[in-house]
Amino acid sequence: MRAELAGYLGRVRAALADAGQVVIMNGVALGLSSAVRALVAAGRGTLAVEDPTSDRQLPMLEATGARIVRIPVDGDGLDVAALARSGASAVLVTPAHQYPTGVVLAPGRRAALVDWARAADAVIIEDDYDAEFRYDGDPVGCLQGVAPERTVLLGSVSKALAPGMRLGWAVAPPWVAAELREHRELSDLGGPVLDQHAFARFLADGAYDRHLRAMRRRYRSRRDALVAALREHVPDAVVRGISAGVHLYLELPSGASEKAVIDVAAASGVRVSGATEMWSEGQKHPALVLGYAALNEARLDEAARILGDAVARARE
Ligand SMILES: Cc1ncc(COP(=O)(O)O)c(C=O)c1O
């Protein structure tokens, strides 16, 4: 699986990898927490994290013992000038499709990020989990391909196959890869081998590429249906981010409380996440994060209608 992945990531994500640098992980989450632990142990314990970021990942990152500093994200992605002022020794970024805002790291920012990492002798942790799902054109290559000596690339099959498979990988510089393997050996005896054989076969015979092509079409059609339905049913809300991935960021109209919308929608059977917890204290913006990948177009239209009612009632 490591050899097949190295070939796949080189071909599809422009990664510079050989099998020796690939460490199999139970998803991006384990790769992330293990990589940050390795950095803390190596004395690189100040980790910059995007603001906003995944509220599920924050407690995981805090548990590593790293000192977390938050760096603002704007329409061009991570503010690299603010990162350079932060004194961080490592940064976690989602350059292909920022979570949760859905923006892409702009070309100038990508170059500046790599320049900063080289000048500061810092490590870039690249969460690439959404990168195969870009609907408006070809995805840009990963940062690891530009700076392989200081980038840890993390990916998984969670969005392409199923999050419950817990099958992911880290592609890391040799010293980090050695730490990841050691951490794995000292805490676990490895991942499920049958799943890895099956995935290696899936990669080798081109079935994964065909599956991704089919899923891109399906997810794109679902995203388009949801955006159209939101325009109709929640016309004052604003969809942010590019046409990509499996989630959508919806800024709520003024006067609609995030919590009230979530509670009213939930009572009608539509479960959505609030974005406020993903922003640091000073930065909170009321918005919703909508996952659309598992619902067909008709159900998405119905969900948007319920959401529209919830927004109207929350503003009453
Ligand atoms: C931004 C982001 N990265 C990574 C993950 C975790 O992915 P995995 O299932 O591969 O651990 C998630 C979870 O959905 C996520 O929101």
Side-chain angles (χ1 to χ4, degrees), residues 2-290:
R2 288 187 290 114
E4 288 298 337
L5 260 177
Y8 167 78
L9 293 171
R11 186 164 49 77
V12 173
R13 301 295 302 123
L16 273 175
D18 62 52
Q21 285 170 272
V22 179
V23 186
I24 303 305
M25 288 287 174
N26 295 348
V28 167
L30 183 65
L32 177 58
S33 55
S34 307
V36 176
R37 276 172 209 277
L39 294 177
V40 170
R44 297 165 184 258
T46 304
L47 176 71
V49 174
E50 293 166 320
D51 190 5
T53 191
S54 161
D55 54 344
R56 289 179 75 191
Q57 282 181 355
L58 268 178
M60 229 178 257
L61 296 172
E62 278 157 4
T64 64
R67 188 171 83 84
I68 311 280
V69 291
R70 301 293 294 274
I71 308 294
V73 168
D74 60 26
D76 285 336
L78 183 83
D79 179 346
V80 179
L83 171 65
R85 290 192 297 272
S86 72
S89 43
V91 61
L92 167 63
V93 269
T94 48
H97 192 220
Q98 205 274 333
Y99 189 87
T101 63
V103 301
V104 174
L105 191 63
R109 294 270 179 94
R110 284 170 62 88
L113 180 60
V114 169
D115 288 349
W116 163 79
R118 288 190 172 134
D121 189 25
V123 173
I124 299 170
I125 303 178
E126 179 174 24
D127 179 352
D128 202 38
Y129 83 114
D130 235 357
E132 286 102 341
F133 300 109
R134 180 124 184 209
Y135 316 126
D136 58 347
D138 290 331
V140 290
C142 61
L143 290 168
Q144 190 274 347
V146 182
E149 76 289 358
R150 55 186 63 258
T151 305
V152 180
L153 174 71
L154 302 173
S156 76
V157 303
S158 289
K159 306 297 186 240
L161 296 174
M165 288 190 69
R166 309 312 304 142
L167 192 56
W169 50 86
V171 181
W175 75 270
V176 182
E179 293 286 333
L180 292 176
R181 269 193 292 272
E182 188 181 318
H183 178 65
R184 189 95 212 229
E185 275 167 26
L186 295 176
S187 53
D188 192 4
L189 292 178
V193 173
L194 287 180
D195 295 4
Q196 293 179 45
H197 274 299
F199 187 54
R201 283 275 293 279
F202 205 42
L203 283 166
D205 65 15
Y208 192 56
D209 295 68
R210 288 195 293 282
H211 172 73
L212 284 171
R213 276 199 294 280
M215 295 312 287
R216 261 194 296 274
R217 279 196 298 278
R218 184 177 299 176
Y219 289 161
R220 181 192 186 141
S221 156
R222 290 178 175 180
R223 186 181 190 281
D224 289 348
L226 178 60
V227 170
L230 289 170
R231 274 207 194 104
E232 182 185 343
H233 299 296
V234 208
D236 298 345
V238 181
V239 173
R240 296 277 178 217
I242 59 156
S243 180
V246 291
H247 77 271
L248 194 143
Y249 191 84
L250 188 72
E251 266 178 22
L252 288 175
S254 59
S257 130
E258 190 180 291
K259 185 171 178 337
V261 174
I262 293 170
D263 290 348
V264 175
S268 302
V270 174
R271 197 175 52 159
V272 294
S273 303
T276 304
E277 293 302 312
M278 303 182 189
W279 296 86
S280 64
E281 274 312 311
Q283 297 262 5
K284 301 202 178 285
H285 291 292
L288 301 177
V289 179
L290 312 179

